[in-house]
Amino acid sequence: MEFPPFIAVLGKLSYWLFDYSLLGVRLFPTFAGIAILLLCCLIAIELGGKSKAMLLSGICILAFLPFYRNHTLFQPVAFDQLFWTFGFYCIIKFINSQNKKFLIFLGITLGLGVMNKYTMLIWAFGVFFGLFFYQKGNLFKNRWLYISALISLLIFLPNLIWQIQNESPILKHWQALRENQLHEINPLAFGLEQLNFPFTLIISLFGLIALLTDNDLKKYRAVGVASMVIFFTMWLLNAKAYYVFAIYPVLFASGAVKIEGILSKKPIWVYVIAFVTLASSVYFIPEATPLLPIEKFVTYKNLEEKNGRIELTGDYADMFGWKEQVKLVDSVYQSLDPKEKKNCVLWAENYGEAGALKILGKDYNLPNPISRHGSFWIWGYGNKDADVWISLGNEKPAVDHVFEEVKLVKIITHKYAIEEENRIPLYVCRRPKVDIEKWWKAYEEHIFD
């Protein structure tokens, strides 16, 4: 409920087609990444670029390290970047052709984009201001622009109604996000994060300057202004740095076109720039996406074991520990007598643990888990009259508050698991001493903590 439904629809489609396979999970974000690569090259052509500009723009996508992570993980961000890029493509195509169908495509893209991630509204905000710089805002006199906006609203309307009917959980999620994460972000870090990728940044700056000042690209100035507005709006909102990465593909394309033009008499240098840009990133790709087996990754990063633990980067660490958790839960569940199995609840502390029990637990025929964290809360508490509750990840005070009888089975540790999933307790609990329904309802204000 903290996200619009587009990602859930893709998740269900992936499940129907591929069950819970890793291939299915990674297929759609990978397709999004490939589509962004192709769109970036097509934008370069639309901006007047030739083969070398198309090559350099594509190389920029391949060299931009954050995209490897974004287009591996099944998250809304991959599709957010796709919708932003396709939206810019539609604007540029309309400028070149004056064909109203691209305004319709723009409206559909905006509507679907908002149904995927609400940051699409900031993209729309930037485009709104940018369009004042196209033919002095004459496009706002075009009725097809308003038809396009209406299409966007109609696509987004069901989610808007759902949010209102359910007391706007997205607002609660944003509040929790600000309190727990965004308030800790140093505004300076947002800008400095962009400097981590200097070669692609330089090309994107060439593109931004060209869109704003170059005579050959002046009719696309709206795109440059929109990019500036989006960037600074995100910065002022104290957003995470990666939120703004979706503006880069169009800037890569325009930068590649500008560089191709500057080096038209020495085209070999375009190939040199492309080579250096990609070569500077190749060594770091295993940090961005899980290409290496864990043992080779540990060697590659020169990591040392301390106190039986090896501290990995977040994504790698997040891949470990789940199987062991589920296997232990299953061993406890199988130790119950048949009557207790029929009246057993699996209670996970957070959505990661609950997700592991749901997905990996399918192989063990485990019952569906419950959790009070995030969207799991709306799916309820299961059997409130259960004889046995197997608690995964909940700390001692939490289980003692609910149950008379609490038995610690094991503290689960893992050499590679992320710190928050290391040393988590597994309890077997019996005899609830609170009203489960009231206890569940009372937690509503904390589900995003």
Side-chain angles (χ1 to χ4, degrees):
M1 62 180 170
E2 59 267 43
F3 293 105
F6 183 87
I7 191 72
V9 171
L10 280 187
K12 179 61 75 173
L13 181 60
S14 173
Y15 175 72
W16 282 341
L17 295 175
F18 306 105
D19 202 353
Y20 285 128
S21 73
L22 191 60
L23 167 67
V25 170
R26 291 184 173 170
L27 186 63
F28 287 110
T30 300
F31 280 166
I34 294 170
I36 290 170
L37 171 64
L38 295 174
L39 283 169
C40 186
C41 296
L42 291 174
I43 290 172
I45 294 172
E46 289 296 323
L47 295 175
K50 303 297 188 291
S51 60
K52 295 176 184 62
M54 185 173 66
L55 170 68
L56 182 57
S57 61
I59 289 293
C60 285
I61 298 293
L62 294 176
F64 192 58
L65 290 169
F67 281 172
Y68 285 90
R69 178 182 190 268
N70 297 156
H71 305 152
T72 297
L73 302 179
F74 187 76
Q75 296 177 335
V77 64
F79 310 103
D80 191 45
Q81 292 165 354
L82 174 59
F83 287 128
W84 285 34
T85 304
F86 188 69
F88 280 130
Y89 174 73
C90 290
I91 293 170
I92 292 168
K93 284 290 290 185
F94 174 77
I95 291 172
N96 286 343
S97 68
Q98 295 298 303
N99 191 327
K100 61 181 180 291
K101 74 178 182 181
F102 292 106
L103 292 179
I104 301 302
F105 291 156
L106 179 65
I108 295 171
T109 302
L110 175 57
L112 291 176
V114 178
M115 289 291 268
N116 170 68
K117 192 172 173 66
Y118 296 119
T119 50
M120 191 75 187
L121 293 173
I122 297 178
W123 179 87
F125 177 73
V127 167
F128 173 78
F129 277 97
L131 290 178
F132 283 105
F133 291 81
Y134 171 64
Q135 295 182 348
K136 299 181 180 180
N138 281 337
L139 186 58
F140 289 101
K141 299 177 182 178
N142 189 326
R143 65 188 176 94
W144 285 100
L145 182 65
Y146 298 97
I147 293 173
S148 173
L150 180 60
I151 291 172
S152 300
L153 178 61
L154 290 175
I155 293 173
F156 173 58
L157 190 59
N159 184 242
L160 180 61
I161 294 172
W162 186 91
Q163 285 286 340
I164 294 171
Q165 289 176 338
N166 290 272
E167 301 179 356
S168 302
I170 182 59
L171 298 181
K172 298 176 184 177
H173 180 244
W174 284 343
Q175 181 181 354
L177 195 62
R178 284 196 303 270
E179 293 174 354
N180 299 326
Q181 295 185 34
L182 298 183
H183 80 285
E184 298 178 354
I185 296 176
N186 183 342
L188 187 61
F190 182 90
L192 293 177
E193 181 74 15
Q194 317 302 318
L195 302 179
N196 288 340
F197 319 102
F199 291 99
T200 51
L201 177 62
I202 291 170
I203 293 172
S204 68
L205 289 176
F206 265 93
L208 179 61
I209 293 170
L211 288 170
L212 295 175
T213 64
D214 196 285
N215 284 332
D216 293 334
L217 297 176
K218 63 181 180 181
K219 67 177 180 177
Y220 309 109
R221 189 165 296 158
V223 175
V225 173
S227 299
M228 290 279 288
V229 172
I230 292 166
F231 183 88
F232 285 107
T233 301
M234 288 285 196
W235 201 341
L236 289 172
L237 291 175
N238 213 31
K240 297 179 182 179
Y242 72 84
Y243 287 5
V244 81
F245 289 164
I247 66 172
Y248 279 110
V250 71
L251 299 181
F252 291 156
S254 55
V257 171
K258 180 62 177 177
I259 291 171
E260 182 187 53
I262 294 173
L263 300 174
S264 59
K265 295 182 179 180
K266 296 180 180 179
I268 186 65
W269 283 103
V270 179
Y271 294 112
V272 172
I273 292 170
F275 175 79
V276 172
T277 300
L278 183 59
S280 65
S281 296
V282 168
Y283 176 80
F284 301 99
I285 291 175
E287 292 185 23
T289 193
L291 294 178
L292 300 177
I294 185 59
E295 294 81 9
K296 291 185 178 180
F297 181 77
V298 169
T299 302
Y300 159 79
K301 290 289 292 179
N302 196 28
L303 300 175
E304 296 182 359
E305 185 172 333
K306 296 179 182 178
N307 301 320
R309 292 266 295 152
I310 293 180
E311 187 173 343
L312 303 175
T313 53
D315 289 340
Y316 266 93
D318 255 332
M319 296 177 186
F320 292 95
W322 310 111
K323 291 181 179 179
E324 289 76 10
Q325 291 180 19
V326 175
K327 187 174 181 179
L328 182 59
V329 169
D330 177 66
S331 68
V332 174
Y333 179 74
Q334 297 301 336
S335 69
L336 302 176
D337 63 48
K339 181 182 176 183
E340 287 181 323
K341 284 183 181 180
K342 291 181 180 180
N343 291 281
C344 177
V345 168
L346 307 184
W347 172 29
E349 191 274 333
N350 61 47
Y351 68 80
E353 294 150 3
L357 290 173
K358 170 67 176 176
I359 294 172
L360 302 179
K362 185 179 179 183
D363 293 336
Y364 297 92
N365 293 317
L366 289 174
N368 285 331
I370 68 166
S371 175
R372 298 188 298 170
H373 192 202
S375 291
F376 271 93
W377 179 85
I378 65 174
W379 296 323
Y381 44 77
N383 179 11
K384 67 178 182 179
D385 300 317
D387 296 326
V388 180
W389 291 52
I390 299 176
S391 166
L392 176 63
N394 297 287
E395 298 296 337
K396 189 74 159 54
V399 293
D400 281 343
H401 172 73
V402 181
F403 299 98
E404 294 280 359
E405 182 180 333
V406 174
K407 178 183 177 182
L408 176 65
V409 176
K410 186 176 182 180
I411 299 293
I412 306 172
T413 61
H414 196 284
K415 183 177 182 179
Y416 297 125
I418 197 167
E419 185 58 34
E420 65 189 58
E421 292 299 329
N422 187 49
R423 296 192 57 78
I424 65 169
L426 181 71
Y427 292 98
V428 174
C429 310
R430 292 178 170 86
R431 299 168 56 199
K433 59 184 180 182
V434 300
D435 184 304
I436 294 299
E437 188 172 354
K438 291 181 179 179
W439 164 73
W440 194 267
K441 181 65 177 176
Y443 199 75
E444 184 175 4
E445 296 301 317
H446 304 283
I447 59 177
F448 295 120
D449 289 355

